[in-house]
């Protein structure tokens, strides 16, 4: 009985097993069969020498015309050796294949032999040749046309191979395995398979490797691609169902409560999107199982207000809420702005506080012990309705009286584990969870990476937002543009506005810590990225002399960072030279210019995030993307794309397309890397939606998959490989 779990050793022989293990880490039959061919070659095309390009790695089928062994003495060697020169033909043209130190080739490649040759095309003595190709004998014939009669299939699978384990060796190993494999159970239930017109699993496994024609290959791949989406979506459907089965405390809105009074005190009108999503959240908070929702929206689309309104509903219903921010700067800023927005509603127990006011507390790692104790007390007693902080909130010592809602700001900085830890804080009844992100996530990625969350999207920006004009400043060609940029900064400051200058590095570190970019053979000599410390010094002494210029970066002590941000927000600082600490959520509406130095060192989404820090009020913004990357370079193209649009969704897509597929999910959430071979989360939107719907209905009818053991096994093995992924990382 040979199954997908059978070790390769018993099936393909010892030598192949060792080779396959060391080349690809294959252990089982299933590992080998999951190594799908990269493409199919038409044997007909392989017999034509006309299109061979020098320098290319090619595979050809050819007939041996003649073979001779030539004795020669390699340079520096004392003894002579043999070189075999094999002349091969496609029936019309000739090509030479050369083998070194393998005189036995003369015997095995007798004239008339037909074989598959695979190697790099080189030129020797002005003739094209294949140097030391791999060589698989297909048969013997007198005429090249007799290929048609050979056993060899017309369509030849080409595998990702190594020097030791060739594509042909893989074909052979797969052939041996498929010959003895017992049909594996099909993880996709029959009714799903039929309604999606998919071939059975066993058939797909065999046809993806040994198709009779490209259509079979295509259909087999379609089936296996569906599997990848389907198994993943079944995991997620099961998780969603589990969430739905958990209890949560319903949090009804209260007449005359904080939320109502907050709404009537708002200095602006909520956008339609804010209102619609607000209603969605409100309804979910009233249910008796936990909300688990992702709120995504452009930078500046007003997510915080949406979250705050949900928090107030929970407080009105007797619960506490936590807001998790990725940095201390951002936590402190949320604290200030939320307290300001709430006004008397947040002054419980203080003079001028409203009757049933709540309290907003900040909890960070850099707080004094005394202050910290007081805050912990407020949290434990339930006086603090809103607790804002970094992951310090996740520490075990922090006890909530009644945690009802957790809001996680900028999800991409938080892992799944942290989400789980916070859920644990609420004891037996899990809190409602709202995750916010300003990095727009294409629908399919959301369905895959965040498939266990429901998604709400805020598309429009509040009315009256001024536009941000972005320009690429190429210092190599147009140094005067940068000079003009600094002038612009001075003008904006003269008009009462402020500026950010962003650099990739802090600076002032020991030489050894400086990361040199790897030198490119062709490119200009590389230099370390520009540093905050250097740029600030140069600007203060030169183009921005006389302005109130400060530095902000992650190495400053927490209270100093906070102090600088507060002074900046109060308008006491004109120019902030900073690292990307300002990237996430920092909100000073009066800033009208941002100069990003070495802009090519940032990714598309990151630049978009950075740019979101300006144009937040009614002041129009200017963003200068400064780079010395040469015109026509990929980096320049990327920057031009960022400058050309402010549509975060379009940019997110661009960003994802620039990454390797595996990294797309990796960047979103750990794990799930190895499981996707044929499925592209960017291209296969239809497959993913179909699979999601199918998975949903299967789980609805059979939540524990008792009637679908093969699917259950597929889930278990996916989860096991994910688990392995986590382990490797830590
Ligand atoms: P995000 O977190 O989505 O980037 P914020 O919630 O920080 O955006 O909102 C950005 C700014 O817009 C804040 O100053 C906020 O007070 C303001 N704002 C939010 N909603 C509106 C609205 N409907 N009309 C006008 N201004 C708004
Ligand atoms: Mg925000």
């Amino acid at each position: 009985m040979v199954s997908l779990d059978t070790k390769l050793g018993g099936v393909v022989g010892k030598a192949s097993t060792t080779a396959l293990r060391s080349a690809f880490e294959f252990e089982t039959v299933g590992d080998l069969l999951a190594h799908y061919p990269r493409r199919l070659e038409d044997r007909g095309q392989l017999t034509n020498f006309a299109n061979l390009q020098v320098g290319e790695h090619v595979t050809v089928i050819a007939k041996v015309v003649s073979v001779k062994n030539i004795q020669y003495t390699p340079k520096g060697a004392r003894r002579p050796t043999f070189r075999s020169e094999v002349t091969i033909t496609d029936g019309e043209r000739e090509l030479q294949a050369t083998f070194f130190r393998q005189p036995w080739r003369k015997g095995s490649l007798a004239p008339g032999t037909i074989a598959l040759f695979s190697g790099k095309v080189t030129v020797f003595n002005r003739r094209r040749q294949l140097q030391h190709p791999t060589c698989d004998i297909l048969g013997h014939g007198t005429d090249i046309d007799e290929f048609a009669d050979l056993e060899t299939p017309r369509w030849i699978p080409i595998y990702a191979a190594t020097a030791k384990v060739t594509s042909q060796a893989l074909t052979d190993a797969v052939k041996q395995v498929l010959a003895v494999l017992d049909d594996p159970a099909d993880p996709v239930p029959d009714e799903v398979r039929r309604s999606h017109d998919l071939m059975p699993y066993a058939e797909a496994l065999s046809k993806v490797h040994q198709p009779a024609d490209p259509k079979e290959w295509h259909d087999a791949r379609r089936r296996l691609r569906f599997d990848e989406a389907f198994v993943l979506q079944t995991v997620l459907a099961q998780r969603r169902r589990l969430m739905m089965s958990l209890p949560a405390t319903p949090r009804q809105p209260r007449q005359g409560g904080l939320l109502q009074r907050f709404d009537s005190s708002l200095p602006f009108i909520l956008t339609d999107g804010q209102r619609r999503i607000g209603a969605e959240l409100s309804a979910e908070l009233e249910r008796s199982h936990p909300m688990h929702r992702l709120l995504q929206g452009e930078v500046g689309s007003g997510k915080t207000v949406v979250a705050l309104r949900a928090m107030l509903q929970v407080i009105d219903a007797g619960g506490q809420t936590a807001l998790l921010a990725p940095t201390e700067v951002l936590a402190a800023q949320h604290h200030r702005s939320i307290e300001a927005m709430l006004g008397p509603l947040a002054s419980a127990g203080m003079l001028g506080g409203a009757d049933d006011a709540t309290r907003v507390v900040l909890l960070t790692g850099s707080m004094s012990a005394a202050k910290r104790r007081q805050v912990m007390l407020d949290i434990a007693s339930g006086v603090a309705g809103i607790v804002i902080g970094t992951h310090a909130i996740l520490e075990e010592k922090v006890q909530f009286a009644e945690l009802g809602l957790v809001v996680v700001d900028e999800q991409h900085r938080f892992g799944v584990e942290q989400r789980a830890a916070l859920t644990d804080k609420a004891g037996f009844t899990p809190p409602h969870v709202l995750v916010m992100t300003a990095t727009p996530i294409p629908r399919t990625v959301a369905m895959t990476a965040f498939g266990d969350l429901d998604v709400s999207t805020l598309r429009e920006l509040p009315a009256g937002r001024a536009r941000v004009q972005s320009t690429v400043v190429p210092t190599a060609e147009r140094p005067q543009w940068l000079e003009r940029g600094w002038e612009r900064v001075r003008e904006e400051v003269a008009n009462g506005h402020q500026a950010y200058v962003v650099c990739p590095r802090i600076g002032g570190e020991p030489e050894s810590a400086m990361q040199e970019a790897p030198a490119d053979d062709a490119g200009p000599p590389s230099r370390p990225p520009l540093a905050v410390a250097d740029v600030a010094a140069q600007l203060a002494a030169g183009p921005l002399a006389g302005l109130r210029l400060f530095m902000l970066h992650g190495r400053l002590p927490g209270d100093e960072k906070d102090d600088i941000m507060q002074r900046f927000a109060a308008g006491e600082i004109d120019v902030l030279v900073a690292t990307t600490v300002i990237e996430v959520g920092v909100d000073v509406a009066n800033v009208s210019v941002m100069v990003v130095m070495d802009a090519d060192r940032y990714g598309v989404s990151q630049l978009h995030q950075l740019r979101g820090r300006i144009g937040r009020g009614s002041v129009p913004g200017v963003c200068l993307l400064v780079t010395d990357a040469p015109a026509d370079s990929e980096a320049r193209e990327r920057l031009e794309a960022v400058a050309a649009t402010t549509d975060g969704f379009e940019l997110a897509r661009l960003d994802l397309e620039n990454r390797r597929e595996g990294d797309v999910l990796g960047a979103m959430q750990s794990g799930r890397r190895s499981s996707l071979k044929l499925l592209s989360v960017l291209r296969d939107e239809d497959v993913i939606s179909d699979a999601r719907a199918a998975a949903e209905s299967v789980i609805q009818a059979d939540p524990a998959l008792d009637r679908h053991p093969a699917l259950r096994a597929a889930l278990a093995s996916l989860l096991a490989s994910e688990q392995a992924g986590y382990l490797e990382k830590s």
Side-chain angles (χ1 to χ4, degrees), residues 417 669-675 717-730:
E417 301 86 344
Q669 215 171 32
S670 41
R672 288 199 198 138
R673 202 166 276 248
S674 56
S675 62
S717 94
L718 173 67
L719 293 176
S721 69
E722 247 184 70
Q723 205 61 44
Y726 287 134
L727 293 179
E728 270 163 33
K729 264 188 197 136
S730 57

Side-chain angles (χ1 to χ4, degrees), residues 153-209:
R154 171 168 168 202
W155 295 96
I156 301 177
I158 306 294
Y159 292 91
T162 67
K164 289 229 173 65
V165 184
T166 63
S167 181
Q168 189 62 38
L170 284 158
T171 308
D172 292 344
V174 166
K175 193 170 163 188
Q176 287 178 54
V177 161
L178 285 176
V180 295
L181 179 69
D182 293 282
D183 278 4
D186 197 325
V188 175
D190 280 355
E191 65 276 11
V192 174
R193 197 167 61 65
R194 271 194 297 271
S195 66
H196 289 83
D197 191 23
L198 299 166
M199 65 174 76
Y201 182 52
E203 188 183 333
L205 266 189
S206 123
K207 286 185 172 167
V208 78
H209 292 288

